[in-house]
Amino acid sequence: MLRFLPLKLGRLYRCLKLLLVVGLFVILLMNTHNLFASFQKNELTDRRFINLNKCPACFGTSWCRKFMNGQVSFETWGRLRFLDIFNVKNVYFAQYGEPREGTRRVVLKRLGSNQELAEIDQKICKRATGRPRCDLIQAMYKTEFARINGDVRLLTPEVVEGWSDLVHCPSQRLLDRVVRRYAETKDSGSFLLKNLKDTERMQLLMTLAFNPEPLVLQSFPSDEGWPFAKYLGACGRVVAVNYVGEELWSFYNAPWEKRVDLARQLMDIAEQLTNNDFEFALYLLDVSFDNFAVGPRDGKVIVVDAENVLVADKRLIKQNKPENYDVWYESRFEECDREACLSFSKDSLCSRVTVDHNYYAVCQNLLSRYATWRGTTGGLLHDPPAHIAKDGQLEALLDECTRPKKRYGRFQAAKELREYLTQLAAASSSATAR
């Protein structure tokens, strides 16, 4: 009887697919008028749709002229509003056109689900009036976002510490960098708050508190070699970033040589964000296949979701010398029944100079046999060629990087894994060239 079980499950799966298709068809019939209207109208020119009417309780206005001029428009399926029920993260693909540069693809983000954005409004109202509903614009002027006025020379750590992952343990050097590189002002380049308009200052602080991703992209820009998507601008509560390419998950079953190259790049990203000449350690607290994308031309891996990035100033840690600051911090592996989960202590990340968190996150959630995503296990480096599997070196390094058996074993394993993947990628390139 058990042998009939897969057959029954297969039939059930086909029935569910058929029901889904029929359901979508019925929805299409019920929304025929709205369907045609969606293709004719560019909703990105609608102030209410992009929540421009909520400014300064928004993320910026630097791209509003482009939106209002119709230079930004949804791609075909993005115009169908009834499909938004499947787009929980509120991420859209769009076309942006410039007369001299032509048209290119961009990604639009609302920086939160509808529920999360509604919660932002409630939190602003509660901060200002103690009630969950209010006149949002008036409320902004009664919050701490407005009270930090232009007479204050600098944005200081004691004011914003703990607002978000970016400023869980901010240094003055980091905050000066955030203000100086703030792209939603015409007077960027100054770290003085007084050089920002009242509305710009409120937008900056609100972004810092609710979703600092735009500030991470601006403060550590791709133009300077940081592995993040390029920030383009914002209008209301819609932020535009450049389109990088397909998400990393699309390459899960790519040829072995391609996966080796991607794995090498991921370990390089972990190293760059941990150790760099600027002495800022950027720790990725949310690592999954959805948070990385691969360029179609150069094959470069880029971080495309930077909301949960904790920045620790190593220079300040060395200066203040908190307890055990010079003791290497090892992230502890823990069994988990969820996808892409990590174990870490934010306070430890903020108080140690030498930390293995990024190596641990990449190895566990992306590369090793412990990586689980969309019901699949095995990681990006699954099913290696027979001669590599027989050698056992790759599996041993991945295991030590994920679940080290030796003290400080992950540090050494990560170093050797980067070198090993570089050798494999070079060997693959040589073989292809022949």
Side-chain angles (χ1 to χ4, degrees), residues 107-118:
V107 177
L108 304 180
K109 298 183 175 186
R110 289 190 184 273
L111 300 182
S113 65
N114 292 337
Q115 181 180 345
E116 288 169 335
L117 294 172

Side-chain angles (χ1 to χ4, degrees), residues 61-62 150 153 176-201 203-204 218:
T61 58
S62 64
R153 177 179 170 82
D176 287 349
R177 185 183 183 94
V178 169
V179 175
R180 187 172 65 248
R181 292 167 178 249
Y182 186 51
E184 293 301 318
T185 175
K186 293 181 180 179
D187 191 29
S188 60
S190 171
F191 56 83
L192 300 177
L193 278 182
K194 68 179 183 180
N195 289 335
L196 297 179
K197 297 178 181 177
D198 290 346
T199 54
E200 293 170 346
R201 188 165 52 255
Q203 288 165 183
L204 166 62
Q218 294 165 35

Side-chain angles (χ1 to χ4, degrees), residues 58 81 89 97 110 116 132 155 171 175 209 223-224 248 255 259 298 304 385 404 416 424:
C58 66
R81 295 279 64 80
K89 292 185 176 182
R110 289 190 184 273
E116 288 169 335
L155 182 63
S171 66
L175 295 180
D223 293 344
E224 296 179 4
L248 183 64
R259 289 186 281 130
D298 57 10
V304 293
E416 293 181 14
L424 290 180

Side-chain angles (χ1 to χ4, degrees), residues 20-199:
L20 179 61
V21 171
V22 172
L24 286 174
F25 181 71
V26 171
I27 293 173
L28 279 172
L29 288 178
M30 295 174 64
N31 290 272
T32 303
H33 175 74
N34 294 333
L35 186 64
F36 286 114
S38 297
F39 282 107
Q40 293 172 348
K41 179 183 178 182
N42 183 358
E43 290 178 296
L44 294 175
T45 62
D46 184 338
R47 296 171 61 89
R48 297 189 68 84
F49 180 79
I50 60 178
N51 291 153
L52 182 57
N53 60 310
K54 294 190 176 185
C55 288
C58 66
F59 302 119
T61 58
S62 64
W63 256 43
C64 281
R65 180 172 295 181
K66 301 179 190 299
F67 276 81
M68 295 301 112
N69 288 344
Q71 291 176 258
V72 188
S73 58
F74 284 127
E75 292 185 346
T76 306
W77 297 111
R79 295 172 184 244
L80 305 180
R81 295 279 64 80
F82 71 86
L83 292 179
D84 286 348
I85 59 174
F86 303 107
N87 188 9
V88 179
K89 292 185 176 182
N90 279 326
V91 177
Y92 305 90
F93 297 106
Q95 292 291 325
Y96 164 62
E98 275 283 2
R100 295 182 180 178
E101 300 178 6
T103 303
R104 58 174 166 141
R105 202 178 195 191
V106 297
V107 177
L108 304 180
K109 298 183 175 186
R110 289 190 184 273
L111 300 182
S113 65
N114 292 337
Q115 181 180 345
E116 288 169 335
L117 294 172
E119 288 173 356
I120 289 178
D121 295 347
Q122 292 178 8
K123 287 178 181 178
I124 291 173
C125 287
K126 285 182 178 179
R127 290 185 184 199
T129 68
R131 300 188 306 271
R133 293 186 179 182
C134 64
D135 184 315
L136 193 64
I137 296 176
Q138 288 187 10
M140 278 294 287
Y141 287 89
K142 297 178 182 179
T143 64
E144 66 270 40
F145 304 139
R147 287 195 292 270
I148 303 173
N149 57 53
D151 295 331
V152 178
R153 177 179 170 82
L154 301 174
L155 182 63
T156 55
E158 57 268 18
V159 172
V160 299
E161 183 175 354
W163 279 16
S164 60
D165 288 334
L166 173 61
V167 288
H168 185 78
C169 51
S171 66
Q172 190 61 58
R173 189 166 69 103
L174 172 63
L175 295 180
D176 287 349
R177 185 183 183 94
V178 169
V179 175
R180 187 172 65 248
R181 292 167 178 249
Y182 186 51
E184 293 301 318
T185 175
K186 293 181 180 179
D187 191 29
S188 60
S190 171
F191 56 83
L192 300 177
L193 278 182
K194 68 179 183 180
N195 289 335
L196 297 179
K197 297 178 181 177
D198 290 346
T199 54

